[in-house]
Amino acid sequence: MHRHLLALALALALPLVAQAADNDIDKINGAARVEAGQHAGNVSTVNGSVHVGDNAVIQKASTVNGSVELGDHVQATAADTVNGAITVGASSRVSGAVTTTNGGIHLQKGADVTGKAGTVNGGINLDAAHVGGGISTVSGDITVGANSRVEGGILVDRPGMFHFSSNSRLPHVMIGPHAVVQGTLEFRREVVLQVSDTAQIGPVKGATPVKFSGDMPTN
């Protein structure tokens, strides 16, 4: 009898041991959290946000309905959501892509994304940050802030057949002072493109750049 109970206890404990070994945090409902300085594997939930504290090291951070927030000096391989915004904290590094469908992307000062940063319904804001795989959106403004750097160009795609929006305002794309965008800036829909006179950009397709001086455009 005791032998059977021991075997049952071991069998029940095995999934817990495997989960601990993988170091994943996997939830269905509610926020998934990694505290500051902790190491974890994949951090995911379905209905809730993902919060990763400063100086943490993780693999992928993902959710379906909720935001993804990476603190400062975080290391991650990827970050994605469907319905929610993504924030990558100051001096954090994501070695893969940062993507959302319905939500904006904000890369804070010194953030480094090796892959792409892409959304469909939302804006993208780089604050002296770096993106190595290009940035893209359909509906939303793009701000490549001062001293930011983008490789892989910029794409503002045309709305698809099932894309509905009550907002008739044109997307604004701003390339700030001393920013660098390598690759083609391609616009498949009408946009307002404003480029600092100290910025460096690649070839532009589908829009006419309007130069500005100073920190920001006047309009």
Side-chain angles (χ1 to χ4, degrees):
M1 180 68 174
H2 291 295
R3 188 175 300 166
H4 290 306
L5 288 174
L6 179 60
L8 179 60
L10 287 172
L12 291 172
L14 280 175
L16 298 178
V17 172
Q19 185 176 13
D22 291 337
N23 210 19
D24 290 347
I25 299 173
D26 188 6
K27 302 184 71 174
I28 300 296
N29 295 306
R33 295 182 177 274
V34 177
E35 299 303 323
Q38 288 190 340
H39 289 226
N42 293 323
V43 184
S44 65
T45 183
V46 176
N47 297 304
S49 297
V50 176
H51 304 274
V52 180
D54 297 347
N55 299 297
V57 178
I58 66 166
Q59 293 295 310
K60 183 178 181 181
S62 63
T63 182
V64 176
N65 298 307
S67 61
V68 175
E69 300 176 3
L70 306 183
D72 298 343
H73 302 279
V74 168
Q75 295 183 48
T77 60
D80 67 68
T81 180
V82 177
N83 300 306
I86 299 178
T87 301
V88 180
S91 299
S92 290
R93 184 173 187 274
V94 179
S95 59
V98 172
T99 58
T100 178
T101 301
N102 299 305
I105 295 173
H106 183 197
L107 308 184
Q108 296 181 353
K109 190 161 293 186
D112 183 4
V113 175
T114 303
K116 71 175 182 177
T119 179
V120 177
N121 300 308
I124 299 175
N125 190 318
L126 278 62
D127 179 7
H130 169 250
V131 175
I135 57 181
S136 65
T137 185
V138 173
S139 298
D141 296 342
I142 294 176
T143 299
V144 180
N147 302 303
S148 294
R149 195 171 83 257
V150 176
E151 288 109 33
I154 292 174
L155 172 63
V156 177
D157 210 349
R158 66 175 62 87
M161 183 183 300
F162 300 105
H163 181 91
F164 299 100
S165 175
S166 59
N167 186 5
S168 59
R169 175 182 174 274
L170 297 178
H172 281 56
V173 179
M174 194 276 285
I175 315 297
H178 306 288
V180 177
V181 180
Q182 297 178 352
T184 301
L185 290 73
E186 182 175 357
F187 305 99
R188 298 175 181 172
R189 61 175 299 182
E190 188 177 359
V191 301
V192 175
L193 175 60
Q194 298 168 306
V195 181
S196 167
D197 55 10
T198 63
Q200 301 177 41
I201 63 172
V204 177
K205 181 178 179 182
T208 300
V210 177
K211 292 282 189 178
F212 70 90
S213 58
D215 293 338
M216 295 288 291
T218 56
N219 55 356

